[in-house]
Amino acid sequence: HLYARTRARACVRALSRVHSFAHMNSCITCAHARMHQVTIGQARLLHKTTGKMPALVIRTDVANIYGSQAPPLPFCDLQHPDIVLQALQMDACGVICNLFKLPDDAEGAVDVHRKCVQNVTHLRSECSKYGVVLLVEPLAFKWATDGNGKRLPKFTMDNSLAVTRPLVRLACELGADVIKCDLPDQLQEFSKLKHVCAPRPVLLRGGEKGEEASVLQYAKDLIGAGASGLVYGRNIIHHDDPCRITREFMKCVHGGV
């Protein structure tokens, strides 16, 4: 499946190219993406959409991990204890939450990880109650460095298998139905990550905004490595023609069909 996500922060950066959330949703809908990840607030704007809507996945948590500097007090909190019921009322098929692991010496690292575990367990209970699919996004971070190896006061992704595999395993053991994660540093290591998740589907994140030809080739490589689907945000939202690039990603996923 191709899975498009629309984040509030991504939309803000893309306002010069995307006139509105409604316009972006129309592009994703016309290209027949299989799923669309939105916040509960964005989902309320979809009732005016015409045509066959992609399946909705609702983002359930809010975090301050991403940014130009590491936050002094990091957090990752559920938007509302009844967020799963709210998602169901929006006709969503699933909900998604983060499972963060920050650097061990980062302020609040243990508290954030514990809160993420609590979020997943709460959502697992609610999803079982209402028959909603639970997607979990295990993401590990490390300190960013400059060209000389000097540590910078911000986080970057840590995709080493030694770190990500235990985190993905934890997500599975906590009850995730679907895993959404980054590719390990080495493409050939994905089979080891996928083995941990079996029989759960694994959706791979598409990565940073890049040049179109290389991004599409990377998409083919991810599917070739065994991903069940791909998740794209900025490579669609920031594209000059979101509808066309979405169709190109669909060809990568479905073999040109």
Side-chain angles (χ1 to χ4, degrees):
H1 296 298
L2 181 69
Y3 178 2
R5 76 181 192 275
T6 305
R7 284 184 171 172
R9 63 187 181 91
C11 284
V12 170
R13 290 198 301 265
L15 282 178
S16 61
R17 295 183 180 179
V18 180
H19 297 298
S20 68
F21 170 75
H23 171 71
M24 175 53 59
N25 183 69
S26 176
C27 291
I28 294 171
T29 300
C30 78
H32 305 297
R34 293 294 184 263
M35 288 189 286
H36 190 181
Q37 178 185 312
V38 295
T39 65
I40 198 73
Q42 291 168 335
R44 298 181 189 281
L45 304 176
L46 299 180
H47 67 282
K48 295 182 179 180
T49 302
T50 58
K52 184 179 179 181
M53 279 288 298
L56 288 183
V57 173
I58 300 296
R59 165 64 67 184
T60 61
D61 50 6
V62 179
N64 65 343
I65 305 301
Y66 305 98
S68 58
Q69 287 194 330
L73 290 174
F75 66 82
C76 183
D77 296 329
L78 290 181
Q79 294 182 28
H80 193 278
D82 291 330
I83 189 69
V84 174
L85 179 58
Q86 293 180 22
L88 195 61
Q89 291 168 341
M90 293 288 117
D91 202 25
C93 68
V95 298
I96 186 167
C97 67
N98 291 299
L99 181 58
F100 289 140
K101 182 185 184 305
L102 303 183
D104 291 339
D105 59 345
E107 186 73 28
V110 173
D111 292 335
V112 167
H113 184 64
R114 181 187 296 114
K115 189 64 170 68
C116 286
V117 169
Q118 292 172 348
N119 291 344
V120 176
T121 55
H122 174 77
L123 291 172
R124 176 66 274 164
S125 176
E126 292 292 290
C127 286
S128 296
K129 182 191 304 181
Y130 296 112
V132 175
V133 175
L134 175 60
L135 297 89
V136 178
E137 190 169 2
L139 296 175
F141 295 85
K142 60 185 178 181
W143 291 108
T145 57
D146 63 16
N148 298 317
K150 181 181 178 181
R151 194 172 89 172
L152 300 175
K154 65 178 182 178
F155 301 136
T156 189
M157 304 309 304
D158 185 351
N159 294 325
S160 61
L161 189 66
V163 175
T164 57
R165 184 161 58 176
L167 195 61
V168 167
R169 181 186 295 277
L170 176 60
C172 294
E173 292 178 351
L174 290 173
D177 297 309
V178 179
I179 297 295
K180 171 189 169 187
C181 63
D182 285 319
L183 187 74
D185 288 333
Q186 303 298 321
L187 184 63
Q188 61 271 24
E189 291 181 333
F190 177 62
S191 61
K192 299 178 182 178
L193 197 63
K194 187 178 178 183
H195 178 74
V196 170
C197 299
R200 299 164 187 81
V202 180
L203 308 178
L204 289 177
R205 305 199 319 162
E208 297 293 325
K209 177 73 171 68
E211 189 272 328
E212 182 174 321
S214 61
V215 169
L216 290 174
Q217 183 58 52
Y218 185 57
K220 295 175 183 178
D221 293 342
L222 295 180
I223 293 298
S228 300
L230 304 177
V231 185
Y232 283 98
R234 68 201 73 186
N235 279 294
I236 292 176
I237 295 170
H238 293 182
H239 197 275
D240 292 329
D241 190 344
C243 190
R244 183 183 67 79
I245 193 63
T246 301
R247 289 196 177 103
E248 292 299 318
F249 284 132
M250 292 288 287
K251 291 178 182 178
C252 296
V253 173
H254 298 288
V257 178

